Structures are given as structure tokens and as C-alpha cells.
Amino acid sequence: MFTQEAYDKLVKDLENLKNVERPRVLQELVDARAQGDLSENAEYHAAKERLASIDNIEMPKLQDQLARAQVIAFDANSDTIKFGATITAKNLKTKREIVYQLVSPEEADALNGKISFKSPIGAALMGKKRGDTVEVVTPKGKNQFEIIDFK
């Protein structure tokens, strides 16, 4: 499962590998070959390894992710929190409001407010409604969150 934003990023990353990065590395390989003796040519070996990584690891991984991707959009009319929702909650211990978007584990980025729906906080929020209170045990201890809103 991916948000549309994450799916679009995968497409952009694959296009960048195909149309920018791979041609650049191929040119580096050609330039390094032109320098002569390949046995002691560090630039040649580095470019060859980078090209192998692009062709055998990075592009196949992105192609596989895109082939299996299921884009899920949050239903704004939902009365419960589901994948893709952006939640505003109040930490009852610190009295601070937090905003999280529930995303797939692959696109989680806690520093930017994107947490996995499978994380302790994400799992606790799934299926809840406005006004509900959830209790979550995190590495920093037990926390309670009151759900203020979600969209």
C-alpha cells in the first residue's frame, strides 16, 4: 500500500535512474575506458560497479515495487481513522498537539510527521474516531493521545 505521493516518488525515482543516472554512469564508463589500462583504473571499476547496482538492484527493486503497488487514498467521508489519514491528536502527558499521517512502512518519515500504520502509535490510531483516547507504549514510556481530528 502506498499513498499517491509515495507512488509518484517511486515513478520519479525510476525515471531518474533510467534517464539521468544510468546514462551519466555509462558516459563515465566510456570516459574511463578511454584512459587506457583498465586494470588499475579506479574510475572504470567504480563506474562499472555503479552501473551493475543500477541495473541489477535499484531499477529492478523500483520496478517490482511499482508492479505490486496498491495506491490507497484516504476517504474523507470516513468516520474512522484509516490508512492515509492525517490525524491531529493531543498528547495528554505533554499537552502538546501532534499531527501524523498514517503511511506504509516504506514511506514512514517520523521527522516529517509520516508514521507507519503498523507502528505502535499508528496501529493504536487505526479504526478510532474523533474524541477517542488511545494508550500507546513507546520507547519513552506510556502515552495517551486524544484524537482531535483527522482528514
Side-chain angles (χ1 to χ4, degrees):
M1 289 192 299
F2 289 98
T3 61
Q4 185 64 52
E5 178 185 352
Y7 181 85
D8 292 345
K9 183 180 182 318
L10 288 177
V11 170
K12 184 179 175 185
D13 290 348
L14 181 59
E15 288 174 359
N16 183 60
L17 278 175
K18 283 182 178 179
N19 302 323
V20 177
E21 190 67 14
R22 190 172 190 281
R24 183 186 61 75
V25 172
L26 281 171
Q27 186 59 51
E28 287 176 5
L29 204 54
V30 168
D31 293 345
R33 259 193 213 134
Q35 294 177 9
D37 184 11
L38 300 180
S39 65
E40 295 182 18
N41 187 328
E43 290 85 8
Y44 172 78
H45 294 288
K48 191 173 169 184
E49 286 178 22
R50 179 69 181 124
L51 183 62
S53 176
I54 290 170
D55 288 347
N56 301 322
I57 299 171
E58 297 172 51
M59 284 192 347
K61 179 182 175 186
L62 288 171
Q63 289 165 334
D64 179 60
Q65 286 179 316
L66 287 168
R68 293 182 300 108
Q70 181 180 10
V71 177
I72 307 267
F74 177 70
D75 177 6
N77 296 319
S78 177
D79 61 344
T80 61
I81 295 173
K82 296 180 181 167
F83 178 86
T86 300
I87 301 108
T88 302
K90 184 178 192 176
N91 183 321
L92 298 178
K93 188 176 184 180
T94 65
K95 305 296 185 211
R96 289 182 24 204
E97 281 192 12
I98 55 165
V99 177
Y100 290 129
Q101 181 182 16
L102 298 182
V103 297
S104 67
E106 296 84 7
E107 57 185 310
D109 180 3
L111 294 177
N112 289 308
K114 295 181 180 201
I115 62 170
S116 169
F117 73 100
K118 293 182 177 182
S119 69
I121 294 173
L125 292 170
M126 291 288 286
K128 300 298 189 255
K129 298 179 178 185
R130 287 172 186 85
D132 284 355
T133 300
V134 296
E135 190 171 287
V136 182
V137 178
T138 66
K140 292 185 177 182
K142 195 180 293 187
N143 287 288
Q144 286 188 320
F145 298 95
E146 179 186 351
I147 300 166
I148 296 170
D149 195 16
F150 60 90
K151 55 185 177 178

